[in-house]
């Protein structure tokens, strides 16, 4: 026996009087942690791409969504683990033990290892989550196509044509038309001026208007 | 406390934080009056005063056990009597005879003669 045993015994004896503040502190920690999770969700919603993922090619969209979903899961897990390391698990609130000095010492030694392990996992999850989120944003930015300028809808006796106006002059109108299939190269169509009934600027060729 | 007291309480013995042998003393553990803890009673091997140490069931602090302990079946909510006995056997006890022996520090948590010991003989009532 030494002075350390006495100190542990004294700590165990005084723990009885700090049980409620300890529980309240744990609750406050979890409240802060859950608030942080809500913020995290909002941030990830903002970080979904330059415009939105729907405008990306299919492969890039799936990749970006996968990366961002993975990042979200990892960041949530990391955040929960960090909160557990800092404030313990709420499940332990119903776990009673006989608080003696020796038991408190054993519990503390075990807890130190557990908290260290949980903290390492939390840091790893957060790091991987940030990397995945960065990757997702990178994919979204690098594959989002620039919005086309000078889109026009040209009316002709045989129908309408929509595309990017390349030039207009005596030789007629040159319009770059996207083909229906994804990945197909755009086709340049030259319309003689006499065949053009109307030319109207449009924001998109998706729907007539 | 168990058995008849053979030596009277030495009120004059000076407070000293020293480890003493408790081979000849028996201690008894029983549930506290409110059922929220265990009281271990016996005679202090040094001052021979009747000492009672109460240990409460409670939360030591924050914990990190979670899903794994639940999956492996190691999670418990109620301490079992066997583990209580084992815990009490491993504990170091301090004289809590309640008498302020000479030179007792003002901030002493355990009011007694300052002796500490490990129990050799402990009977916990209700334990298997």
């Amino acid at each position: 026996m030494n002075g350390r045993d006495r100190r542990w015994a004294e700590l165990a004896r005084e723990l009885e009087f700090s049980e409620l503040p300890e529980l309240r502190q744990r609750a406050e920690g979890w409240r802060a942690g859950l608030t942080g999770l809500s913020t995290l969700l909002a941030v990830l919603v903002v970080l979904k791409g330059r415009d939105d993922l729907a405008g990306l090619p299919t492969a890039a969209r799936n990749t970006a969504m996968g990366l961002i979903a993975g990042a979200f899961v990892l960041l949530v897990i990391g955040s929960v683990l960090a909160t557990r390391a800092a404030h313990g698990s709420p499940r332990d609130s119903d776990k009673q033990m006989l608080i003696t000095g020796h038991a408190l010492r054993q519990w503390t030694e075990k807890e130190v290892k557990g908290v260290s392990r949980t903290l390492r996992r939390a840091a790893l999850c957060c790091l991987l989550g940030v990397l995945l989120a960065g990757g997702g944003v990178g994919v979204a930015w690098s594959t989002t196509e620039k919005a086309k300028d000078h889109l026009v809808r040209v009316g002709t006796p045989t129908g309408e044509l929509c595309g990017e106006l390349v030039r207009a002059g005596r030789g007629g109108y040159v319009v770059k038309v996207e083909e229906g299939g994804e990945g197909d190269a755009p086709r340049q169509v030259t319309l003689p001026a006499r065949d053009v009934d109307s030319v109207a600027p449009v924001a998109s060729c998706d729907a007539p208007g | 406390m168990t058995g008849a007291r053979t030596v009277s309480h030495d009120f004059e013995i000076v407070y000293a934080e020293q480890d003493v042998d408790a081979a000849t003393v028996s201690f008894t553990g029983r549930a506290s009056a409110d059922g929220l803890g265990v009281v271990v009673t016996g005679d202090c091997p040094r001052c021979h005063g009747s000492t009672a140490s109460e240990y409460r069931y409670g939360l030591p602090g924050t914990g990190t056990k979670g899903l794994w302990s639940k999956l492996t079946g190691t999670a418990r909510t109620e301490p079992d009597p066997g583990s209580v006995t084992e815990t009490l056997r491993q504990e170091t006890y301090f004289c809590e005879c309640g008498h302020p022996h000479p030179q007792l520090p003002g901030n002493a948590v355990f009011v007694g003669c300052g002796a500490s010991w490990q129990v050799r003989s402990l009977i916990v009532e209700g334990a298997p």
Side-chain angles (χ1 to χ4, degrees), chain A residues 37 40 44 70-80 125-126 129-130 133:
Chain A
L37 272 182
L40 175 68
L44 282 175
F72 176 70
V73 170
L74 281 171
L75 289 173
V76 167
I77 291 172
S79 184
V80 169
C125 284
C126 287
V130 168

Side-chain angles (χ1 to χ4, degrees), chain A residues 30-90:
Chain A
W30 273 94
R31 184 189 61 182
L34 293 175
T35 306
L37 272 182
S38 306
T39 310
L40 175 68
L41 178 63
V43 168
L44 282 175
V45 168
V46 171
L47 285 179
K48 65 182 182 179
R50 186 165 64 183
D51 190 359
D52 79 47
L53 294 179
L56 300 181
T58 307
R61 184 173 63 235
N62 290 342
T63 305
M65 285 176 69
L67 287 171
I68 289 174
F72 176 70
V73 170
L74 281 171
L75 289 173
V76 167
I77 291 172
S79 184
V80 169
L81 286 176
T83 307
R84 279 181 60 175
H87 302 286
S89 168

Side-chain angles (χ1 to χ4, degrees), chain B residues 3-76:
Chain B
R5 179 177 295 177
T6 55
V7 185
S8 61
H9 191 171
D10 184 353
F11 295 106
E12 301 305 319
I13 196 167
V14 174
Y15 179 91
E17 293 183 359
Q18 58 181 231
D19 198 15
V20 296
D21 186 20
T24 58
V25 190
S26 290
F27 291 85
T28 305
R30 59 174 61 89
S32 60
D34 57 9
L36 300 177
V38 176
V39 182
V40 177
T41 55
D43 287 346
C44 169
R46 182 165 179 255
C47 73
H48 308 293
S50 178
T51 177
S53 301
E54 183 172 356
Y55 300 97
R56 312 283 290 183
Y57 294 111
L59 303 168
T62 57
T64 55
K65 282 184 181 177
L67 185 61
W68 177 251
S69 56
K70 190 175 184 179
L71 289 174
T72 55
T74 54
R76 278 189 292 103

Side-chain angles (χ1 to χ4, degrees), chain A residues 78-148:
Chain A
S79 184
V80 169
L81 286 176
T83 307
R84 279 181 60 175
H87 302 286
S89 168
R91 288 190 62 256
D92 287 342
S93 300
D94 58 357
K95 215 168 278 177
Q96 301 269 306
M97 61 178 270
L98 192 64
I99 300 180
T100 63
H102 184 77
L104 181 63
R105 184 177 186 171
Q106 280 189 323
W107 179 89
T108 303
E109 288 168 355
K110 200 165 77 174
E111 193 65 7
V112 165
K113 290 178 188 166
V115 169
S116 304
R117 190 172 55 242
T118 306
L119 201 55
R120 277 198 304 275
R121 289 176 181 167
L124 183 65
C125 284
C126 287
L127 179 66
L128 288 176
V130 168
L131 288 177
L132 288 190
V137 171
V139 168
W141 273 76
S142 62
T143 56
T144 300
E145 293 175 2
K146 186 174 176 289
K148 290 186 175 59

